[in-house]
Amino acid sequence: MSNRGDRIGRRIGAWKACHSRGDYLPSMGNPSKTVLVTGATSGIGLAVTKELAASGFAVIATARTQEKAEQLLNLLSDLGLTARVVVCDFEKSTEITAAMVKIFEISPSGPWAVVNNAGFALPGSIEDVTGEIAQKQLLINVLAPAEVIRALLPSMRARGSGRIINISSFSGRVATPFLGWYSASKFALEAISDSLRVEVSEFGIEVVLIEPSGFASSIWANSLPLLPADALTGPYRRAYSKARKLINTDFPEPTPVAKIVRIALESQKPKARYPVGKGTRAIPVLRILPSSLLDLLMQINLGLSKPVTILRMTIRRFKRTRG
């Protein structure tokens, strides 16, 4: 093992020992106000970082590269805000481990809360997405936040309080065609959040899901290069053409999502879920629709069928069921 690896191993051992003893040093600022925000350099993560820093929270933010970390620090400085920034590529488990060591150096008692936001959206039909890329989607959107949670839970449990906020999506409640693997990752994040919420409830730790619809974020622009090479000529070209138009839509700024995250942190008893954004009120209805009707609505939304055609098909199906 390298010298750097030895140092990381010793540090991890040290803070694990601290956890088991409940022996902590004063943390960065107010321990109850220290929040880790992952994926903080753009979109929802950036909005959350600014909102929390402006509201008096001591923010530890993550950036994927040193360049992005410096850009984030400069942006916050221009706004009169401060945060500590740790570089971490959540695709690499070794970087997550090293980042957690740095985070516990900044806040020896551990952050009181974490906002798991880092992730990406993988577009494409189930047929077009390779297993390798699908694994990357699940790794970054599901396994990485789970690893962060595992690292923070001992200190939260020893403290007797903590808050875990996982940024899910509308697509984590209603599967979205041509974003099937992204939906799968968010469904999985919802599942582990629901399980975790019950598992840690006796320790004073709250687990919250934030479920945004479409908001301005580089996550969508970054997904364009991931579309298949034959996206505009292959069998799914109509859907991909529609998807490109949707990605290029001017989405609203994610400020409402950031405010909801703050509310979830400040609430004495937060909700299990906070849907936010256009269309999210329809989630309970969409989840109880017959699959055939939901499929038809998805086809309309993707421009694969016309509403008039769908209406005629629905009437014919209704007549057949009536005999």
Side-chain angles (χ1 to χ4, degrees):
M1 183 182 291
S2 67
N3 290 337
R4 182 173 179 272
D6 288 336
R7 289 197 302 272
I8 291 174
R10 287 195 297 270
R11 288 170 181 171
I12 292 174
W15 60 254
K16 281 185 176 179
C18 264
H19 293 161
S20 64
R21 296 194 306 268
D23 179 19
Y24 299 108
L25 298 172
S27 90
M28 167 185 172
N30 182 343
S32 66
K33 299 278 278 184
T34 304
V35 182
L36 170 64
V37 181
T38 70
T41 57
S42 66
I44 290 174
L46 176 58
V48 169
T49 297
K50 292 191 293 185
E51 178 74 21
L52 297 186
S55 301
F57 287 91
V59 178
I60 305 174
T62 75
R64 189 174 183 184
T65 66
Q66 186 61 42
E67 180 184 6
K68 289 186 176 181
E70 292 171 0
Q71 291 172 352
L72 175 59
L73 286 171
N74 290 335
L75 187 153
L76 293 174
S77 178
D78 291 343
L79 296 172
L81 303 174
T82 60
R84 301 292 294 274
V85 181
V86 175
V87 175
C88 182
D89 182 349
F90 285 92
E91 190 177 350
K92 302 172 184 176
S93 182
T94 55
E95 288 207 18
I96 297 175
T97 300
M100 296 311 301
V101 170
K102 292 178 182 177
I103 287 163
F104 275 90
E105 288 176 348
I106 295 169
S107 176
S109 62
W112 170 72
V114 59
V115 180
N116 275 314
N117 169 72
F120 78 102
L122 174 61
S125 69
I126 301 302
E127 179 183 1
D128 283 336
V129 175
T130 66
E132 180 181 2
I133 301 178
Q135 287 178 352
K136 180 179 177 179
Q137 176 78 103
L138 297 175
L139 172 64
I140 295 176
N141 286 19
V142 184
L143 299 182
E147 192 166 349
V148 171
I149 290 168
R150 283 196 298 272
L152 296 180
L153 274 177
S155 60
M156 290 182 175
R157 183 167 54 246
R159 189 186 303 113
S161 68
R163 199 146 297 183
I164 297 166
I165 296 185
N166 292 328
I167 305 297
S168 181
S169 169
F170 179 98
S171 295
R173 303 297 301 283
V174 180
T176 309
F178 299 97
L179 279 173
W181 284 109
Y182 175 69
S183 288
S185 73
K186 292 304 184 180
F187 266 78
L189 185 65
E190 296 253 346
I192 65 172
S193 299
D194 286 340
S195 295
L196 181 66
R197 187 171 56 255
V198 177
E199 293 168 1
V200 301
S201 59
E202 65 176 301
F203 307 122
I205 301 169
E206 303 282 355
V207 181
V208 177
L209 283 157
I210 308 294
E211 298 167 337
S213 56
F215 286 93
S217 173
S218 62
I219 193 173
W220 302 115
N222 291 341
S223 69
L224 278 174
L226 299 175
L227 286 171
D230 67 343
L232 297 182
T233 59
Y236 303 110
R237 57 187 178 276
R238 289 175 59 194
Y240 287 142
S241 178
K242 177 75 171 181
R244 281 178 175 272
K245 292 177 182 178
L246 288 174
I247 288 173
N248 290 323
T249 299
D250 289 329
F251 289 106
E253 291 300 314
T255 307
V257 184
K259 292 186 181 299
I260 289 295
V261 169
R262 176 177 53 76
I263 289 170
L265 288 170
E266 293 177 342
S267 173
Q268 289 189 349
K269 187 63 180 176
K271 299 177 183 178
R273 284 177 168 79
Y274 289 88
V276 53
K278 184 178 179 180
T280 54
R281 290 185 179 181
I283 289 176
V285 177
L286 293 174
R287 285 177 61 85
I288 63 173
L289 285 179
S291 295
S292 58
L293 181 55
L294 182 58
D295 290 350
L296 294 176
L297 292 175
M298 291 292 182
Q299 289 172 25
I300 292 174
N301 187 53
L302 288 168
L304 302 180
S305 294
K306 296 180 179 179
V308 174
T309 304
I310 295 296
L311 180 60
R312 289 172 179 168
M313 292 172 61
T314 304
I315 292 173
R316 284 200 297 268
R317 290 186 182 185
F318 178 76
K319 286 181 177 179
R320 283 201 299 270
T321 59
R322 300 282 290 180

